[in-house]
Amino acid sequence: VQLQASGGGLVQAGGSLRLSCVASGLSFSPYAMGWFRQAPGKEREFVAAFSRSGGSTYYADSVKGRFSISRDNAKNMVYLQMNSLLPADTAVYYCAADRSKFTNKLTDYDYWGQGTLVTVSS
């Protein structure tokens, strides 16, 4: 199983970025998909999740209203649209797959991508 995240970069505060994650080696649609992030010197934290069916989404309070998670099961892709970015959003962003739960708990996720760096300048 491989998850490959991309789309990170340097953006000014108030700007937007769209992260993408492609999954291979697994049957994608039965998995809930999540995005997490880890800022320098901090623990990895939940950002957003998309359920395996039914189209339910779940966001951390810190990104609610600014970020949007979506998925395309036909392409084995999950996306994170990030708008109104803040310097506090600077982190390495990771996508993850969870085969049994729709959750914000890092330890529930089974597979992880390598991360993509997002840097927001003030």
Side-chain angles (χ1 to χ4, degrees):
V1 175
Q2 188 172 16
L3 302 177
Q4 182 76 33
S6 61
L10 174 64
V11 63
Q12 288 189 330
S16 298
L17 279 176
R18 187 194 195 205
L19 305 183
S20 300
C21 175
V22 59
S24 59
L26 77 169
S27 179
F28 185 72
S29 57
Y31 284 76
M33 298 299 296
W35 286 97
F36 291 76
R37 66 186 181 186
Q38 188 166 17
K42 295 188 176 181
E43 294 186 349
R44 195 170 299 188
E45 65 176 8
F46 171 76
V47 175
F50 199 111
S51 66
R52 53 186 173 178
S53 63
S56 297
T57 56
Y58 183 16
Y59 295 96
D61 287 344
S62 59
V63 307
K64 205 172 291 184
R66 300 188 298 121
F67 290 12
S68 178
I69 187 171
S70 61
R71 65 188 291 166
D72 185 339
N73 288 343
K75 297 181 179 179
N76 284 12
M77 298 285 294
V78 61
Y79 306 97
L80 186 68
Q81 178 66 44
M82 305 186 296
N83 299 326
S84 303
L85 282 161
L86 304 169
D89 295 318
T90 294
V92 177
Y93 283 72
Y94 299 88
C95 60
D98 178 353
R99 63 187 164 198
S100 61
K101 299 177 183 175
F102 175 44
T103 176
N104 64 345
K105 292 178 63 176
L106 183 150
T107 53
D108 285 339
Y109 283 79
D110 303 291
Y111 303 108
W112 291 83
Q114 87 292 352
T116 185
L117 176 62
V118 173
T119 304
V120 184
S121 62
S122 57

